[in-house]
Amino acid sequence: MKCLLDDVTHLSITVDIWTDRRAKSFLGLTGHFIDSNYIPQAFLLDFCRLKGSHTGDNVRNMTEKILEGLQITHKVYRIITDNAASMIKAYKFGLIVSNSHDILINHDNDEEEHYESVESSDDASDFLRRWTLTDWHENEHDSNDVDGNIASRLSCFAHSLQLTVRDGVANVPCLSKCLLKCIKLAEWSHKSTKIADLLDDIGKSISQRTVTRWSSEYLLMKSILSLEKANVDDITEILEDNEVKFNNNDFIVLQEAVELLEPFAEITVRVQSQSVVTASLVVPSVVHLLDHVNVMKTNLRILKSMCIQLEQSIHRRFAGIVKRLHQQSVNANDRFSDHIYFVCTFLDPEFKLYWLRQMKYSPACESKMKESLIQMVLDECDYGQNRSSNNLRETLSSFSSRSIDMNDSVVQSTRTTTDKKRKLFQYDDDSNGCNVSPNSLKSPMNEINAYLNDPLRCNFSLYWKNSQLHTLKNVVKRVYSIQATSAPIERVFSRAGIIMSPRRTSMREEVFRNLVFLRMNESLI
């Protein structure tokens, strides 16, 4: 692993803390980079005992010790964590504290906000208020990368997405009552042989709820909808419990909730993938969700308030992205304020600028947004530092009108469509590109021109491995080390929990750590 890391120029890490069955805490670090074939690689850098309080200083010191031991501290590009206050404090200013760091991030609250596991409750409103995650915390703020030598902390996108859903379902009593019925029905389906036989006869099953993931409630509601009301009535007749019986309004609520939450669940799965790049999915996901809730508001009969709450939460929890989309100024303490998410989306052949159509910009706003995106990529290329702003503006203006007009007629036709359900990350392929000779690629601007005019939309790794856009390839290797979520370190903890089974609690700490390390890095064996 050290030999591989010696050849890596930039990598990002995910960090988190886990406590085993014996109440011993461990700090885990995973490292991520793009290899020479432009394939994402990931390793468990270390899984070590963390003694003492889980304070920001303690976490930070242990992280630095691990990275210094591997001699990769200077290579860390971004740090991805959940939103626990200790993690925010630990990496507030990156791994390297600079005296010239003039921009400070204002964190209003540094206290962790714990959300406990949820058990069935007769109080529907109380249950709804606590319908949330276990061991995931509030207080997420992204710090900007104001110094190229300072690794910035990024919030886990999946975590923030789940907090958004929590905000959306708050204070919606009709949904909480339906969900309580679903949970009771699911519990009985695994206790009653009569219900099990009935489900077996119709070839259906009822999903179980997992308190640590909101998507389990979504899958539960979806599985009950698939049973249809007649079969649900047969099951409730077996139970002889009037509180579990579903009326017609209940099914309308479930149907609207499933339709409203469907893209949230799909995106949650997509952004936690470990075999493909995920950082490029963040901006298109926010765009899709904004478009989705805007369309759904006009179609809902009962859950319109939930839809409005989801929309408001998206604007608040992804303020940095939303403000850039609306071409507003972004504050340093806005959540997801790092421009790197837009750079990643721009440099993914699947997205390029196609996703802009879903924003339904006016031609002038769309052109301005394209120029802004190009400038972000140029900044990553260290391009334009010795050029006057007027010359750069002329170049951008010329390029915008000449090269990145991605078929405005299609954009216009998109604006006229209403209430049509859009598939996630599906865009019309209508670019009229042309091949550009490598000899003509003498600057980052020309490479961007060639990239946007290239009609090829293939696999990310295949595209960049065969590309001759060398300046952009260097940027790709750096920015795509970023993970959209902290899911990689969560997978480590899941594996650790399996290794430390109830029958193996007397295992020596050194053996346990080594088993986890070997299991997660077995591809190197």
Side-chain angles (χ1 to χ4, degrees):
M1 184 174 71
K2 287 183 178 180
C3 289
L4 287 172
L5 292 176
D6 285 342
D7 296 330
V8 175
T9 56
H10 293 88
L11 79 157
S12 294
I13 61 174
T14 66
V15 188
D16 207 352
I17 301 171
W18 178 77
T19 303
D20 68 8
R21 300 176 188 276
R22 303 168 296 186
K24 294 182 178 181
S25 297
F26 294 84
L27 181 74
L29 270 76
T30 63
H32 305 266
F33 61 92
I34 302 294
D35 66 14
S36 58
N37 292 319
Y38 289 83
I39 297 174
Q41 299 292 341
F43 299 115
L44 174 61
L45 300 179
D46 207 343
F47 181 75
C48 58
R49 181 71 188 280
L50 180 66
K51 295 183 178 181
S53 301
H54 298 175
T55 62
D57 290 338
N58 201 8
V59 172
R60 180 196 181 92
N61 292 336
M62 184 63 71
T63 301
E64 289 181 336
K65 182 179 178 180
I66 294 171
L67 297 178
E68 288 171 0
L70 295 170
Q71 298 180 342
I72 58 174
T73 304
H74 62 287
K75 298 183 177 183
V76 176
Y77 182 57
R78 290 291 193 277
I79 305 166
I80 299 92
T81 77
D82 63 16
N83 298 312
S86 59
M87 290 295 175
I88 295 174
K89 186 176 181 180
Y91 310 113
K92 185 187 296 186
F93 306 117
L95 288 173
I96 303 173
V97 178
S98 172
N99 292 330
S100 62
H101 198 321
D102 296 326
I103 300 178
L104 301 180
I105 310 303
N106 179 24
H107 297 282
D108 296 328
N109 296 306
D110 280 338
E111 298 180 359
E112 292 190 17
E113 183 177 334
H114 294 272
Y115 300 105
E116 300 176 352
S117 302
V118 178
E119 300 297 335
S120 297
S121 169
D122 294 331
D123 188 343
S125 60
D126 180 62
F127 170 81
L128 182 58
R129 189 171 61 254
R130 298 186 294 129
W131 185 37
T132 180
L133 310 173
T134 299
D135 294 331
W136 282 32
H137 315 284
E138 188 64 90
N139 294 331
E140 77 265 40
H141 288 275
D142 287 333
S143 48
N144 281 347
D145 189 13
V146 298
D147 188 323
N149 296 321
I150 298 178
S152 295
R153 175 197 167 270
L154 301 178
S155 289
C156 172
F157 181 69
H159 181 195
S160 299
L161 197 61
Q162 296 197 42
L163 291 173
T164 299
V165 174
R166 186 204 68 181
D167 295 340
V169 301
N171 304 315
V172 187
C174 58
L175 177 60
S176 65
K177 292 177 182 177
C178 290
L179 187 57
L180 280 171
K181 292 180 181 180
C182 292
I183 292 171
K184 290 181 180 180
L185 200 61
E187 290 173 349
W188 276 108
S189 69
H190 289 263
K191 295 179 181 178
S192 170
T193 56
K194 291 183 178 179
I195 296 177
D197 290 342
L198 192 154
L199 291 172
D200 189 52
D201 290 340
I202 62 177
K204 299 285 186 178
S205 62
I206 299 178
S207 298
Q208 285 292 299
R209 178 184 63 119
T210 304
V211 295
T212 55
R213 293 189 180 275
W214 76 267
S215 54
S216 66
E217 273 91 355
Y218 163 78
L219 294 174
L220 170 58
M221 293 186 291
K222 190 174 181 179
S223 66
I224 289 179
L225 272 178
S226 68
L227 294 176
E228 300 180 351
K229 191 173 185 307
N231 291 321
V232 172
D233 289 342
D234 291 340
I235 293 174
T236 54
E237 285 294 331
I238 295 174
L239 295 178
E240 297 181 352
D241 185 353
N242 291 330
E243 293 185 358
V244 186
K245 290 186 177 181
F246 289 77
N247 56 41
N248 292 330
N249 275 345
D250 290 335
F251 266 79
I252 294 174
V253 169
L254 290 179
Q255 182 67 46
E256 290 187 354
V258 167
E259 290 182 3
L260 190 52
L261 296 176
E262 181 179 11
F264 289 87
E266 186 177 353
I267 289 170
T268 299
V269 173
R270 288 284 298 272
V271 298
Q272 296 183 87
S273 174
Q274 58 181 338
S275 59
V276 297
V277 294
T278 56
S280 60
L281 303 178
V282 173
V283 173
S285 295
V286 174
V287 171
H288 184 87
L289 292 176
L290 287 172
D291 182 61
H292 172 71
V293 295
N294 185 54
V295 171
M296 288 295 293
K297 277 191 297 187
T298 61
N299 299 332
L300 297 175
R301 292 173 50 192
I302 301 177
L303 297 183
K304 185 170 293 187
S305 62
M306 174 181 167
C307 187
I308 294 173
Q309 289 176 178
L310 282 171
E311 185 177 38
Q312 292 172 345
S313 184
I314 293 172
H315 281 264
R316 181 167 59 91
R317 295 195 177 275
F318 305 101
I321 293 176
V322 174
K323 285 183 178 180
R324 289 189 193 275
L325 290 172
H326 293 298
Q327 301 172 22
Q328 300 171 353
S329 59
V330 179
N331 299 321
N333 61 342
D334 283 333
R335 301 165 182 181
F336 288 85
S337 60
D338 200 321
H339 73 282
I340 208 67
Y341 295 113
F342 287 84
V343 174
C344 288
T345 301
F346 185 98
L347 293 176
D348 190 333
E350 180 182 357
F351 297 112
K352 292 187 179 180
L353 296 174
Y354 304 117
W355 58 274
L356 289 176
R357 299 166 189 159
Q358 201 166 356
M359 286 298 297
K360 302 178 179 63
Y361 287 124
S362 66
C365 289
E366 183 174 335
S367 178
K368 184 178 179 181
M369 187 65 189
K370 290 175 181 178
E371 291 181 5
S372 176
L373 292 169
I374 293 169
Q375 183 62 65
M376 293 179 195
V377 178
L378 288 174
D379 290 341
E380 287 299 318
C381 297
D382 292 327
Y383 178 76
Q385 292 182 352
N386 298 320
R387 299 183 58 184
S388 69
S389 59
N390 289 335
N391 288 339
L392 181 57
R393 191 176 298 111
E394 290 173 3
T395 303
L396 288 171
S397 178
S398 173
F399 181 78
S400 177
S401 61
R402 175 173 49 85
S403 302
I404 60 175
D405 183 8
M406 309 288 285
N407 200 335
D408 281 339
S409 62
V410 176
V411 178
Q412 191 65 36
S413 65
T414 304
R415 298 189 190 102
T416 61
T417 59
T418 57
D419 299 343
K420 184 177 181 180
K421 189 175 181 180
R422 182 188 292 272
K423 292 185 178 180
L424 186 64
F425 307 149
Q426 293 293 315
Y427 311 103
D428 295 330
D429 191 358
D430 54 8
S431 58
N432 298 316
C434 59
N435 295 325
V436 180
S437 170
N439 296 327
S440 65
L441 304 177
K442 298 180 180 179
S443 69
M445 197 65 188
N446 288 341
E447 288 195 9
I448 292 174
N449 192 344
Y451 169 69
L452 290 176
N453 282 283
D454 187 352
L456 188 63
R457 293 179 67 183
C458 62
N459 172 270
F460 169 87
S461 300
L462 181 63
Y463 183 93
W464 286 111
K465 178 184 177 181
N466 297 324
S467 174
Q468 297 179 347
L469 308 175
H470 300 294
T471 303
L472 291 183
K473 288 176 75 169
N474 290 333
V475 175
V476 165
K477 272 202 168 184
R478 180 171 69 253
V479 302
Y480 277 103
S481 66
I482 297 173
Q483 300 294 297
T485 74
S486 59
I489 193 61
E490 299 297 339
R491 294 190 186 96
V492 174
F493 298 156
S494 295
R495 175 57 62 179
I498 294 173
I499 294 174
M500 180 59 72
S501 67
R503 297 183 179 182
R504 305 180 73 181
T505 53
S506 61
M507 185 188 307
R508 287 190 296 116
E509 181 182 311
E510 182 182 5
V511 174
F512 175 51
R513 288 180 55 201
N514 288 340
L515 284 175
V516 174
F517 187 82
L518 289 171
R519 172 61 69 181
M520 300 309 300
N521 293 322
E522 60 183 343
S523 62
L524 298 176
I525 301 175

